[in-house]
Amino acid sequence: MKSCYGYARRRSWTVLFALMLVLANGVVLAADLAAQRSSFKRARQAQTSADFAQARRLAATLSAYPLQAYLTYEDLRRRLSSVPEDEVLSFLHEQQGTYLGEHLRTSWLREMARKERWSAFRRAYRAQESVALQCQQLSARLQSAPVSAVLADIQTRWQAGGARGTACDGPFAKLYASGRLSDAMLWQGVARAMDNGDVTIARGVAAHFNAARYRDAFARWLRAVAAPQEILRARDLEDSPENHAIVLATLTRLARDNVDAARAAWAQLSARLSFSSEDRARAARTIALAAANSRHTARIALLDAVPAAGVDIEVQRYQLREAIVAEAWPELVRWTELDALIPNETLRWRYWRARALGEVGRGKEAKVLLAELAGERDYYGFLAADRLAQEYEFRDVPIAATRAELDALAHRPGLRRAREFDMTGLAQHALREWNFEMKQLAPRELQVAALLASEWGRPDRAIFVLGMANAYDDLSLRFPLLYTELARKHAARRGLDPARVLAIIRAESAFNPSVRSPVGAVGLMQLMPTTGRETARSAGLRFDSEKSLLDPATNIALGTAYLRQMLARYDGNFAMAAAAYNAGPGRVRQWQGDQCVATERWIESIPFTETRGYVRRALFYAAIYQRRLERPIMKLQSVMPPIPPRDARGSDVCTP
């Protein structure tokens, strides 16, 4: 017994000693990392201060630090006009496929093209997005290969079109001189340029026509640009493919200004010239879109007249919106017989088909479709469930990953840099590295990356990565419970549902407290500084400066006060309040009509795609957060009272 006790005691001391070693090593590693970060910051400051010798000395001590490559990148980028080629190629080889390596490669290629060092250009070249660099690569190849070996690739680049500046002039001159392009092919190039509104490029291509008929046709097209009505009234137009192209392009220009004039011109020309069925579908599409965009009184009939061959994403967008606004249910039933082309809006398409079927007396079909939709965790799924008096589907399937998967991903050089940039306060650098790496990952790796982002305290990145992976079932990752105490506290002060507060934060910033929008909105609830100042004044809150909006407590205090003001302005209508929060009360007033309208239809009529989606998300996210906070779930239909007329007075104008 004594022997066993002694063994157990020795074993426990061994385990304790091992644990102490692990902890000590952890402390040493943390201390080393802190020292490395300090040296990195000093090296970066030395680079900024042009003390390059000191920067290089400090960088030399950071061989194991993830951001040493960044210091090398900045040093090479600064010396790019004089740095030896071998030094650049060595860095490009070491950093191939990383953000730093590929960005330096692009800069180096531009420098080599500027100096016409084509051999060096060829050695460093990898596929580039820049059309100019693609053409400069062709120029580089022409320096060492016969023209005949490069012509096929030059022609492929020429046929791809797109803005290109002057970099393509040399290779394209070789193509024109080769005689590979027939007049018909040149005409296609002219048509591409004219459709894109680039008359300069079109002129350059047209200069190579051989046949007079093509030169004359291009001159006619130029006249049509200046005077569209005159060319469409011309009675001497020959029935040729070139004139067909001119008429269709001119019709587009005319319809933007005068739908009725375009309709009259097309009626006359389509009866006289032998347009193909594809051309006729394109003309119908052109006139219908112009009518819908200008709110023409015949827009429903014109949208209905677009043949299936002319129906594309844009046509479907207008068909859906205009039919809902006008309650054109028979037309909407016909239109939604086609598959939805609008990206990520299949559920919207199916929901409004179900609604249209119900309105035209096809209730059984409508219920079958609504029953299918009610199984979806989505705004339209929730609306469908409301119509069937069913409970919402909150499918929640957490993503699982092994520690080995997480560690393997975390050790990718680009993600190590992203992590360190975050830790050193360089958020934009971190985001660039992170986004670049995400584009390289497979769907499963993206799911693991979302877990990793959450571990690293970046819920915003986790949310966006899940979207990239089309992985929507982990509600903890997609709808994190962060800042809940602040949300509860300030929601209680303002008489708000904390779930709605979290829904706004999720929709606005994805829980990134330091985010700034391109227009200047700041922080968790994305407040404009002027809005923050005015809200603070009216609500009796403190507002020191724009910087204070980066503080979560201040941001949520002001954001909830502003949301309360918007709800009070619209008699508690959360949809209108959310629209005003996103786009401003002035625009919401513009979007109100002259009579009451159901909120679900009004939301669909919002002309701003961003705001329309934002309002749907706010309603949907609020229900999700009610579930996550274990609060009673308010059905969407119960919080969507009718939208009152623009100049309504009193709260009893609309009857639900």
Side-chain angles (χ1 to χ4, degrees), residues 235-273:
R235 297 187 176 277
D236 58 347
L237 281 178
E238 294 180 7
D239 203 352
S240 69
E242 297 77 45
N243 283 335
H244 293 173
I246 294 169
V247 166
L248 290 170
T250 308
L251 194 70
T252 300
R253 294 176 59 86
L254 181 58
R256 290 186 196 130
D257 298 328
N258 191 325
V259 171
D260 289 328
R263 292 172 70 189
W266 176 245
Q268 186 262 322
L269 287 166
S270 62
R272 188 162 60 82
L273 303 180

Side-chain angles (χ1 to χ4, degrees), residues 609-653:
T609 302
E610 178 196 338
T611 304
R612 189 167 61 247
Y614 178 91
V615 175
R616 294 196 303 247
R617 288 193 300 275
L619 289 159
F620 165 57
Y621 291 175
I624 296 285
Y625 272 109
Q626 284 160 2
R627 182 179 188 272
R628 296 226 64 211
L629 294 173
E630 299 181 345
R631 294 175 62 83
I633 295 168
M634 293 185 283
K635 300 294 188 179
L636 264 59
Q637 292 287 4
S638 72
V639 297
M640 294 169 66
I643 305 296
R646 185 179 297 113
D647 297 316
R649 295 290 182 269
S651 59
D652 59 345
V653 175

Side-chain angles (χ1 to χ4, degrees), residues 351 378-387 392 600 636-637 640:
Y351 175 77
D378 175 84
Y379 168 77
Y380 293 104
F382 288 2
L383 287 180
D386 283 350
R387 290 200 163 268
Y392 293 166
E600 66 174 352
L636 264 59
Q637 292 287 4
M640 294 169 66

